[in-house]
């Protein structure tokens, strides 16, 4: 199967009339079995259409037009308006929210995540490209235009979780080239506070019968990898994990941030060296290069099946 | 964005937290006047963003205003960890009975702010946590519910503090927690928070860090403090090369071709995107290469921006060749980046096949991009060549050239 989304998932795009959102909508409609994009929201643009998708002023109008609950939303509005858009989605019953927007202050993200938790909704991102179930559905800009996404992603048994949107595709493409498909690939976002961390997605992959192994892309900064190591140790996970750590050079440059907002090394625990040690202690294999990942995954799966 | 101590104290004061009757100045003669106004012994503190002031001699004690002036002269001249002081803070030497610690930071795992409180202050809180863990209290609080004083009371009481100390500390800790949220801080810390001999409490030093992304929401405060928009307050000041990189990125609003950081190697890098740049920089170094810079391209920059960035890197003294590499792109067009970097070489009178050690950007519009690269004889690679392998080839070429 897959996690979070499947071919029946319905979603809207908030900020749908923006240039990137228009492209993203086209890509999602074209990819796999064709995403069910049931509406878009841009205040003041009621009555327009984007690639045949009706545009509304409010999420409530989109829900009314659809005639029932809508599963998800892709939010691509400017940073100053994102919190309001996400609150609107949550309060209108939407349970899966992908936030593409970058540069949102942490306070806003924390408020959105706490409200989502209260309402039983899940946030992916911010500062992410969304998620993809190969050949079935993509929700967000992940993998780009349908023909490009089809080149990089293929269906299979590996779950992919990545703090970098671009590297989600690079790693999946490497797996695909080696004959290893993906069950679901999730770009979780590069910020210091995000809606769904590795450890929070693991139970879903654990419950997904199709998934046999996990590949993660990690970076310096934050405690997310330590949280994953702890989860793996405490839950006796059936899934082997192969990790790739980028930004090792940052260990020599405390207080500076590279690549993503969340990468800043503020304490010893944030460094690549420390994180690699923490992951290894929990039995997570850390690859030196992306190209080693497929072989390490194959070995890990064979070992578990032993 | 980090604040100087004199700014952090002003922020604390505005939040209604008691501070000492200090003064800030850039002038030693004025330091004497402030010391005279204060009366009695004073402390002269260097205003730098770096830690380790005490060790470096940036904190001096004076008994008289004349002595305060003499110390200010010295401290204003003293460079600390590569930084000249912004000025000095002249502080009354307080009559302290006990030093406490209070700080508020984000917990990215709990996704909530956390208050950290200790009756053992004046030293590094991580050291206290290690040596006397029962003396450090932690308490998360909601992002959505209004802050309520009992939260402060709980964290203070959890460290064994009671009596009138507890009741006097609650409003201070509450105000700091509210300030942290309202002003979009990533760190709000008072250390030490002094209990004076008369039983009152006063902030003796403060550290504040505001989230860069939120600066736009606090224009009035920043203007009051005299913090200019151009002050980035990064861990180290931007070099001329890095400032030129920002100018390239500002050429137009299409995509990103910037985030340049200067290094001193001979291999220029035109790399992207966020995670791809981190991976590629590591890969170059893992193969023994010596990068001249870090940078990020992505989000489909214009030909002009890609060209501007490549020119900047190609002209950097000591750069022999550039490597143009990215992870697989989906919204950046390969052909546009290819055009940009070739244009840069040609405009500088350089041979693209000579100067571009490798071009490894697979993805959208790659066929068109590869055609252009073929025409100029530039070595390129598609996704069948890994990022590390591309980096290895670039390092090998530059090794052969040196």
């Amino acid at each position: 199967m897959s996690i979070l989304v499947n071919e029946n998932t319905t979603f809207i795009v908030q900020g749908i009339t923006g240039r990137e959102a228009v492209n993203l909508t086209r890509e999602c409609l074209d990819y796999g079995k064709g995403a069910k994009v049931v509406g878009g929201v841009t205040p003041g643009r009621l009555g327009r259409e984007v690639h045949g998708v009706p545009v509304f002023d409010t999420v409530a109008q989109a829900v009314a037009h659809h005639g029932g609950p809508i599963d998800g939303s892709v939010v691509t509005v400017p940073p100053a308006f994102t919190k309001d858009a996400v609150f609107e989605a949550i309060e209108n019953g939407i349970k899966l929210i992908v936030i593409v927007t970058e540069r949102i202050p942490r306070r806003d993200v924390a408020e959105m995540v706490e409200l989502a938790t209260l309402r039983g909704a899940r946030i992916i991102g911010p500062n992410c490209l969304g998620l993809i179930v190969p050949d079935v559905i993509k929700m967000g800009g992940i993998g780009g235009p349908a023909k490009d996404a089809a080149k990089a992603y293929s269906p299979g048994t590996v779950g992919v979780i990545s703090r970098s949107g671009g590297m989600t595709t690079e790693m999946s493409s490497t797996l695909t080239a080696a004959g290893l498909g993906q069950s679901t690939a999730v770009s979780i976002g590069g910020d210091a506070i995000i809606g769904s961390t590795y450890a929070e997605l693991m139970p879903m992959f654990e419950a997904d019968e199709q998934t046999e192994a996990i590949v993660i892309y990690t970076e310096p900064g934050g405690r997310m990898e330590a949280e994953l190591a702890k989860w793996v140790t405490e839950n006796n996970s059936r899934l082997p994990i192969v990790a790739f750590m980028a930004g090792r050079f940052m260990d020599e440059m405390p207080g500076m941030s590279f690549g993503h907002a969340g990468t800043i090394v503020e304490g010893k625990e944030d460094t690549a060296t420390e994180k690699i040690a923490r992951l290894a202690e929990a039995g997570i294999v850390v690859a030196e290069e992306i190209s080693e990942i497929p072989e390490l995954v194959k070995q890990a799966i064979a070992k578990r099946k032993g | 964005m980090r604040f100087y101590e004199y700014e952090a104290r002003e922020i604390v004061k505005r939040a209604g937290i008691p501070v000492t009757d200090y003064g800030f100045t850039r002038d030693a003669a004025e330091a004497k006047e402030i010391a005279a106004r204060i009366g009695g012994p004073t402390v002269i503190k260097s205003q730098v963003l770096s830690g380790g002031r005490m060790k470096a001699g940036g904190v001096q004690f004076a008994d008289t205003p004349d002595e305060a002036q003499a110390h200010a002269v010295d401290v204003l001249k003293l460079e600390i960890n590569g930084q000249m002081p912004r000025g000095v803070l002249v502080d009354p030497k307080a009559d302290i009975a006990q030093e406490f610690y209070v700080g508020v930071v984000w917990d990215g795992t709990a996704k909530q702010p956390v208050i950290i409180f200790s009756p053992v202050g004046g030293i590094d809180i991580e050291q206290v946590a290690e040596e006397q863990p029962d003396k450090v209290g932690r308490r998360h609080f909601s992002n959505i519910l209004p802050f309520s004083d009992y939260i402060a009371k709980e964290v203070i009481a959890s460290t064994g503090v009671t009596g009138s100390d507890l009741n006097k500390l609650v409003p201070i800790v509450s105000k700091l927690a509210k300030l942290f949220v309202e002003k979009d801080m990533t760190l709000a810390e008072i250390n030490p928070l002094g209990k004076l001999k008369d039983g009152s409490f006063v902030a003796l030093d403060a550290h504040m860090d505001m989230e860069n992304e939120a600066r736009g929401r606090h224009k009035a405060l920043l203007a009051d403090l005299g913090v200019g928009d151009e002050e980035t307050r990064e861990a180290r000041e931007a070099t001329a090369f890095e400032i030129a990189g920002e100018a390239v990125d500002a050429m137009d609003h299409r995509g990103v071709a910037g985030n340049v950081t200067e290094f001193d190697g001979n291999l220029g890098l035109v790399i992207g995107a966020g995670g791809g740049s981190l991976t590629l920089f590591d890969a170059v170094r893992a193969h023994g290469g010596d990068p001249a810079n870090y940078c990020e391209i992505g989000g489909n920059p214009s030909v002009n921006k890609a060209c501007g960035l490549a020119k900047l890197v190609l002209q950097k003294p000591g750069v022999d060749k550039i490597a143009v590499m990215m992870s697989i792109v989906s919204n950046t067009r390969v052909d546009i980046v290819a055009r940009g970097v070739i244009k840069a070489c040609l405009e500088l009178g350089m041979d693209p096949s000579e100067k571009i050690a490798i071009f490894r950007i697979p993805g959208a519009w790659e066929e068109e991009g590869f055609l252009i690269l073929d025409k100029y004889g530039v070595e390129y690679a598609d996704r069948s060549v890994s990022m590390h392998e591309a980096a290895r080839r670039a390092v090998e070429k530059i090794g052969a050239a040196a």
Side-chain angles (χ1 to χ4, degrees), chain A residues 42-221:
Chain A
T42 299
R45 303 286 167 86
L46 175 71
R48 298 206 184 182
E49 279 195 358
V50 170
H51 299 305
V53 175
V55 180
F56 304 96
D57 287 333
T58 68
V59 174
Q61 288 168 356
V63 173
H65 178 266
H66 182 60
I70 295 170
D71 299 322
S73 176
V74 176
V75 180
T76 67
V77 303
F81 308 111
T82 309
K83 188 177 86 180
D84 184 55
V86 171
F87 273 34
E88 185 185 0
I90 294 172
E91 294 303 86
N92 280 282
I94 290 175
K95 299 295 184 200
L96 178 66
I97 296 153
V98 170
I99 306 174
V100 176
T101 312
E102 308 181 31
R103 303 185 63 85
I104 308 173
R106 259 175 257 198
R107 190 212 321 177
D108 292 15
V109 179
E111 287 182 26
M112 296 184 253
V113 172
E114 191 163 324
L115 182 68
T117 306
L118 276 177
R119 299 285 190 253
R122 171 168 296 285
I123 289 173
I124 305 288
N127 189 7
C128 81
L129 292 181
L131 63 158
I132 185 167
V133 179
D135 288 359
V136 179
I137 181 175
K138 78 171 191 128
M139 182 173 173
I142 189 166
K147 77 169 172 53
D148 292 313
K151 222 167 159 180
Y153 293 90
S154 60
T157 62
V158 183
V160 179
I161 314 174
S162 168
R163 283 171 68 175
S164 160
M167 292 302 289
T168 319
T169 299
E170 181 76 31
M171 291 193 307
S172 298
S173 175
T174 304
L175 290 167
T176 294
L180 286 168
Q182 306 86 46
S183 57
T184 307
V186 188
S187 155
I188 56 175
D191 285 355
I193 296 182
I194 53 172
S196 300
T197 59
Y198 307 115
E200 290 168 315
L201 293 176
M202 280 305 290
M204 282 176 246
F205 277 118
E206 191 80 18
D208 173 41
E209 283 174 16
Q210 185 190 337
T211 304
E212 291 182 350
I214 300 291
V215 169
I216 66 169
Y217 166 91
T218 76
E219 296 175 343

Side-chain angles (χ1 to χ4, degrees), chain A residues 19-20 87 103-108 110-111 113-115 118 129 141-145 148 151-152 164 166-167 169-170 173 192-197 200 217 219-220 223-224 227 244-250 252-256 258-261 263 288-291, chain B residues 106-109 111-113 126 141-145 181-184 186 211-214 217-218 234-236 253-254 259 261 263 273-279 281-282 285 287 294 296 326-331 360 362-367 383 385-389:
Chain A
R19 192 167 59 94
E20 279 182 45
F87 273 34
R103 303 185 63 85
I104 308 173
R106 259 175 257 198
R107 190 212 321 177
D108 292 15
E111 287 182 26
V113 172
E114 191 163 324
L115 182 68
L118 276 177
L129 292 181
I142 189 166
D148 292 313
K151 222 167 159 180
S164 160
M167 292 302 289
T169 299
E170 181 76 31
S173 175
I193 296 182
I194 53 172
S196 300
T197 59
E200 290 168 315
Y217 166 91
E219 296 175 343
R223 304 284 189 273
M224 226 182 289
E227 186 197 7
F244 175 75
M245 168 71 64
R248 297 180 190 215
F249 70 95
M250 287 178 54
E252 302 151 32
M253 319 186 80
M256 291 184 69
F258 292 86
H260 299 116
T263 57
E288 290 296 312
E289 299 187 4
I290 305 278
S291 54
Chain B
W106 281 109
D107 177 346
T109 308
K111 303 170 193 180
Q112 285 183 331
E126 293 193 17
F141 62 93
S142 168
N143 296 294
I144 296 179
L145 297 174
V181 174
E182 282 162 14
K183 304 295 182 216
D184 283 293
T186 54
E211 185 157 34
N212 279 328
E213 280 74 10
R217 302 208 275 221
H218 305 288
E234 296 286 341
R236 70 166 174 74
H253 64 275
R254 288 174 52 194
N259 293 341
T261 305
F263 288 82
S277 288
L278 296 181
T279 303
F281 195 92
D282 278 349
R285 299 227 302 196
H287 289 293
Y294 171 90
E296 288 164 20
M326 289 180 78
S327 51
I328 297 172
V329 294
S330 47
N331 67 343
R360 191 271 186 194
W365 298 73
E366 63 180 13
E367 295 86 357
R383 71 188 66 195
V385 173
S386 75
M387 294 165 81
H388 281 78
E389 171 60 14

Side-chain angles (χ1 to χ4, degrees), chain B residues 41-62:
Chain B
T42 53
V43 190
I44 313 300
K45 300 170 89 177
S46 173
Q47 295 299 290
V48 284
L49 292 175
S50 156
R53 285 183 300 184
M54 185 71 105
K55 233 180 177 176
V59 180
Q60 299 290 338
F61 298 88

Side-chain angles (χ1 to χ4, degrees), chain B residues 66-376:
Chain B
D66 284 332
E67 226 181 307
Q69 181 174 7
H71 284 316
V73 168
D74 294 340
V75 170
L76 284 167
K77 280 190 296 202
L78 181 71
E79 185 183 289
I80 298 175
N81 294 327
Q83 289 179 28
M84 287 309 290
R86 179 62 80 88
V88 290
L89 195 134
V90 184
D91 205 20
K93 192 168 176 298
D95 219 357
I96 298 159
Q98 189 181 348
E99 294 187 332
F100 292 74
Y101 172 95
V102 59
V104 188
V105 291
W106 281 109
D107 177 346
T109 308
K111 303 170 193 180
Q112 285 183 331
V114 56
I115 302 172
I116 304 166
F117 177 85
S118 175
V120 181
I123 53 170
D124 185 16
I125 190 65
E126 293 193 17
Q127 190 186 331
V128 182
E130 219 164 87
E131 292 166 2
Q132 309 175 65
D134 58 321
K135 292 288 182 202
V136 179
R138 287 189 181 78
R139 175 72 161 78
H140 291 90
F141 62 93
S142 168
N143 296 294
I144 296 179
L145 297 174
F147 189 87
S148 204
D149 285 353
Y150 82 89
I151 297 164
K153 187 181 69 177
E154 283 184 359
V155 67
I156 300 163
S158 75
T159 64
V161 174
T162 179
S164 70
D165 283 357
L166 173 71
N167 292 324
K168 284 176 187 162
L169 282 163
V170 166
I172 294 174
V173 173
S174 288
K175 282 170 182 165
L176 189 71
K178 287 180 201 164
L179 176 171
F180 174 86
V181 174
E182 282 162 14
K183 304 295 182 216
D184 283 293
M185 296 296 177
T186 54
L187 168 73
E189 183 182 76
I190 299 174
N191 187 28
L193 172 60
K195 179 187 176 186
L196 304 182
K197 291 268 165 65
D198 68 5
S200 64
F201 285 84
V202 62
L204 294 173
D205 196 353
H207 280 115
M208 298 280 149
D209 250 311
M210 180 182 277
E211 185 157 34
N212 279 328
E213 280 74 10
R215 278 176 72 158
R217 302 208 275 221
H218 305 288
K219 286 200 173 117
L221 172 67
L222 295 174
D224 282 357
L225 294 172
V227 180
D229 286 345
E230 75 291 348
E231 281 190 64
T232 58
R233 306 262 179 108
E234 296 286 341
R236 70 166 174 74
E237 282 188 38
T239 65
F241 178 72
E242 290 163 2
I243 291 166
E246 281 168 34
V248 168
D249 198 31
M251 278 165 59
D252 61 56
H253 64 275
R254 288 174 52 194
V256 176
N259 293 341
V260 176
T261 305
E262 182 166 4
F263 288 82
D264 55 9
N266 58 353
L267 178 61
L269 298 179
V270 177
I271 52 177
S277 288
L278 296 181
T279 303
L280 289 160
F281 195 92
D282 278 349
V284 167
R285 299 227 302 196
H287 289 293
D290 204 357
N293 67 288
Y294 171 90
C295 73
E296 288 164 20
I297 45 176
N300 208 20
S302 60
V303 171
N304 275 341
K305 261 163 92 159
C307 172
L309 180 63
K311 267 186 174 172
L312 177 73
V313 176
L314 280 164
Q315 287 176 294
K316 185 172 185 282
V319 168
D320 293 334
K321 291 178 189 297
I322 59 168
V324 184
M325 309 183 285
M326 289 180 78
S327 51
I328 297 172
V329 294
S330 47
N331 67 343
T332 295
R333 278 173 54 170
V334 177
D335 61 327
I336 286 179
V337 181
R339 261 179 231 285
V341 296
I342 285 173
K343 190 167 174 242
C345 291
L346 298 177
E347 287 183 6
L348 293 172
M350 295 167 170
D351 177 359
S353 70
E354 181 68 28
K355 281 289 166 183
I356 302 174
I358 190 143
F359 183 104
R360 191 271 186 194
I361 308 182
W365 298 73
E366 63 180 13
E367 295 86 357
E368 291 80 356
F370 296 160
L371 272 178
I372 299 163
L373 294 160
D374 255 334
K375 191 175 152 197
Y376 289 92

